[in-house]
Amino acid sequence: MRTRIGELLGQIRDLEAEWTEETIQRITAENTILKQRARQLTADNRTLDERVKAAHSNLRFQDCRVAGLEAQIAAPGSAPPAGDPATA
């Protein structure tokens, strides 16, 4: 077990030796940019989700409105309610 741990630690040291300070800085900068982009995409997704919910709500309202107007048209002799903008 100790031998395997020593081998793995040696591999880590070998990998670290191959990385220059410039490479580490570049990877760190790219990581920061990717994290910022992920946060922005999450915020954009939240905004779009809110817009979709609002659109669904508006659609449900319009469906109810249309159903009410259809019921008025279908009922013989019924007059539209006073102040109904659909009759203006």
Side-chain angles (χ1 to χ4, degrees), residues 61-80:
F61 173 78
Q62 293 301 326
D63 282 345
C64 288
R65 179 78 178 119
V66 167
L69 292 172
E70 287 174 343
Q72 288 177 3
I73 292 170
S78 66

Side-chain angles (χ1 to χ4, degrees), residues 1 5 9 11 13 20 23 33 35-36 54 62 72 77 85 88:
M1 182 66 152
I5 292 172
L9 288 173
Q11 289 177 5
R13 279 192 299 274
T20 64
T23 302
I33 291 168
K35 285 180 181 179
Q36 290 171 348
Q62 293 301 326
Q72 288 177 3

